[in-house]
């Protein structure tokens, strides 16, 4: 059994290094891990890979563990035991149901058209539409805000994140918390400011948890609802390059595929609707697991973006994180 747990740890570390920010662990799997007397270690593993505030202690995370489970086999033991031969597949978390806590149902997105007019007219229309969208608003707690993209409507570079967090839903602006401050520093290292680029998220609301602490990745249904709003922002801004920050953003933008790996996708331009797409690690990942190597990888991705956008790169910039 010790080997199984070691294999599990190795697999979780591998997934984390691939940029996977959450895995799903069902109650049964958690119970097996607990029975093994390794509760503390398993909590630590889950919290390490989970998408939770680093200040959250395992005890605070535990009540939320039901939203994390391994693969989808009901045979938990063989499921865990099979990790050695067949790596587990990280999935975006299951949907909460009304029985978990109050969550408004997510309908299919309704088609809409942008009005005629210039970029500002289209953007203002879209912003009003999103901020007044009843589905988005039904998922926002009292005093909190629906979050729409910000930035330069003529930006060459469009950064796309996952979902607002605690700070973003208070301020109603993407990437203003700790991860946002790091993104702002990355943008500054590129010789740009936030007003030179556009910053949006797949999600327009912070995915709810029963507690006010911690974040969870959005479900596929949640992302599918908000995606047309993100795509309309891309259409309006018409950037040369979209930068997807983290695997959740990638899964949202390109459609869910559990075989995708950050390590294989980052570093080269991909395509999204005929436009260049660069995939890189999420700033939250850098905050949690960042080492000089990952920082350099992100920086190489950003230099590739700068080259494509014809932004000059100094010799000093080329040496960052070496
Ligand atoms: N993480 C995101 O993906 N988006 C934000 O706006 C903030 C944190």
């Amino acid at each position: 059994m010790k080997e199984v747990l070691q294999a599990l740890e190795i697999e979780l570390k591998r997934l984390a290094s691939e940029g996977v920010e959450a895995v799903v662990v069902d109650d049964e799997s958690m119970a097996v891990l607990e029975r093994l007397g390794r509760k503390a270690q398993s909590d630590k593993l889950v919290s390490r890979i989970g998408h939770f505030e680093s200040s959250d202690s395992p005890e605070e995370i535990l009540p939320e563990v039901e939203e994390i489970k391994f693969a989808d086999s009901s045979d938990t033991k063989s499921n865990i035991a099979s990790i050695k031969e067949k790596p587990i597949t990280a999935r975006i978390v299951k949907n909460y149901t009304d029985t978990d806590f109050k969550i408004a149902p997510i309908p299919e997105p309704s088609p809409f058209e942008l009005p005629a007019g210039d970029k500002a007219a289209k953007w203002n229309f879209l912003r009003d539409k999103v901020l007044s969208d009843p589905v988005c608003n039904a998922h926002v707690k009292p005093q909190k805000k629906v979050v729409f993209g910000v930035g330069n409507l003529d930006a060459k570079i469009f950064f796309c994140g996952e979902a607002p967090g605690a700070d973003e839903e208070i301020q109603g602006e993407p990437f203003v918390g700790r991860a946002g401050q790091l993104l702002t520093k990355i943008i500054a290292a590129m010789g740009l400011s936030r007003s030179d680029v556009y910053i949006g998220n797949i999600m327009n609301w912070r995915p709810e948890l029963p507690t006010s602490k911690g974040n969870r990745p959005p479900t596929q249904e949640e992302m599918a609802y908000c995606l047309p709003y993100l795509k309309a922002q891309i259409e309006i801004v018409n950037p040369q390059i979209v930068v997807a920050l983290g695997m959740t953003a990638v899964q949202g933008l390109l459609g869910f595929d559990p075989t995708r790996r950050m390590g294989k996708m980052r570093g080269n331009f991909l395509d999204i609707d005929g436009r260049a797409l660069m995939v890189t690690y999420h700033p939250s990942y850098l905050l949690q697991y960042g080492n000089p190597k990952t920082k350099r990888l992100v920086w190489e991705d950003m230099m590739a973006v700068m080259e494509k956008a014809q932004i000059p790169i100094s010799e000093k910039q080329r040496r960052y994180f070496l």
Side-chain angles (χ1 to χ4, degrees):
M1 204 37 102
K2 198 165 163 237
E3 290 89 40
V4 171
L5 281 167
Q6 276 167 353
L8 173 63
E9 178 162 16
I10 289 165
E11 179 57 12
L12 285 175
K13 280 183 181 159
R14 187 188 68 75
L15 287 169
S17 76
E18 297 280 4
V20 174
E21 288 156 355
V23 291
V24 188
V25 181
D26 64 21
D27 293 340
E28 278 178 281
S29 306
M30 222 39 219
V32 171
L33 290 169
E34 284 176 20
R35 273 206 302 281
L36 291 170
R38 297 283 294 258
K39 185 168 175 292
Q41 284 91 331
S42 58
D43 290 349
K44 220 160 80 192
L45 277 179
V46 168
S47 66
R48 211 159 52 215
I49 199 168
H51 193 77
F52 295 96
E53 310 282 343
S54 47
S55 58
D56 287 354
S57 71
E59 296 70 41
E60 283 164 322
I61 290 164
L62 253 192
E64 298 162 8
V65 151
E66 75 221 57
E67 58 123 1
I68 306 180
K69 68 181 188 184
F70 286 112
D72 38 10
S73 156
S74 52
D75 182 353
T76 318
K77 277 184 199 159
S78 69
N79 196 8
I80 291 180
S82 71
I83 288 168
K84 260 206 298 196
E85 292 83 47
K86 192 163 61 78
I88 56 166
T89 306
R91 296 185 321 155
I92 292 187
V93 293
K94 72 170 184 174
N95 256 340
Y96 280 108
T97 64
D98 280 348
T99 54
D100 292 317
F101 63 103
K102 289 273 170 264
I103 179 166
I106 317 272
E108 297 277 309
S110 321
F112 65 91
E113 272 183 32
L114 292 173
D118 61 11
K119 282 185 173 195
K122 290 182 206 281
W123 187 83
N124 283 324
F125 164 89
L126 185 64
R127 185 171 184 274
D128 289 348
K129 181 170 174 52
V130 172
L131 296 189
S132 61
D133 182 307
V135 176
C136 295
N137 281 288
H139 290 272
V140 172
K141 294 198 174 114
Q143 320 299 326
K144 300 291 160 39
K145 294 182 179 164
V146 173
V147 179
F148 189 68
V150 288
N152 191 324
L153 297 188
D154 291 317
K156 284 184 178 177
I157 307 169
F158 189 120
F159 288 95
C160 175
E162 170 182 325
D167 297 299
E168 288 76 18
E169 70 169 357
I170 291 171
Q171 295 188 39
E173 182 166 333
F175 281 103
V176 290
R178 272 185 79 220
Q181 284 157 22
L182 180 53
L183 177 63
T184 306
K185 279 190 192 163
I186 294 171
I187 293 168
M190 297 166 81
L192 303 170
S193 72
R194 279 172 77 101
S195 58
D196 293 317
V197 300
Y198 193 90
I199 305 175
N201 276 316
I202 302 279
M203 293 297 301
N204 298 108
W205 69 82
R206 179 184 180 195
E208 304 111 301
L209 282 171
T211 63
S212 61
K213 290 201 91 188
N215 293 314
R216 69 167 169 87
T219 63
Q220 291 175 64
E221 288 79 7
E222 287 170 329
M223 291 199 284
Y225 186 81
C226 295
L227 188 62
Y229 292 150
L230 194 260
K231 289 227 166 162
Q233 289 171 82
I234 297 177
E235 187 188 322
I236 294 168
V237 176
N238 194 19
Q240 194 184 348
I241 305 147
V242 175
V243 179
L245 299 166
M247 279 313 281
T248 306
V250 175
Q251 303 286 25
L253 282 167
L254 299 182
F256 183 66
D257 175 353
T259 64
R260 290 205 184 96
R261 294 285 175 263
M262 174 60 74
K264 295 219 169 70
M265 294 186 85
R266 60 145 297 276
N268 295 303
F269 283 102
L270 308 169
D271 177 273
I272 175 155
D273 303 330
R275 206 180 293 279
L277 171 70
M278 176 58 80
V279 170
T280 198
Y281 292 96
H282 193 285
S284 307
Y285 178 83
L286 290 181
L287 286 173
Q288 260 188 301
Y289 314 104
N291 55 33
K293 191 170 160 237
T294 19
K295 286 179 190 165
R296 176 68 194 179
L297 292 178
V298 171
W299 183 239
E300 282 172 9
D301 297 340
M302 293 308 103
M303 284 196 291
V305 167
M306 289 165 75
E307 259 160 28
K308 197 174 240 334
Q310 295 181 316
I311 298 167
I313 308 177
S314 68
E315 273 317 303
K316 190 176 166 201
Q317 281 172 314
R318 287 195 190 278
R319 289 194 303 273
Y320 285 172
F321 305 111
L322 275 181

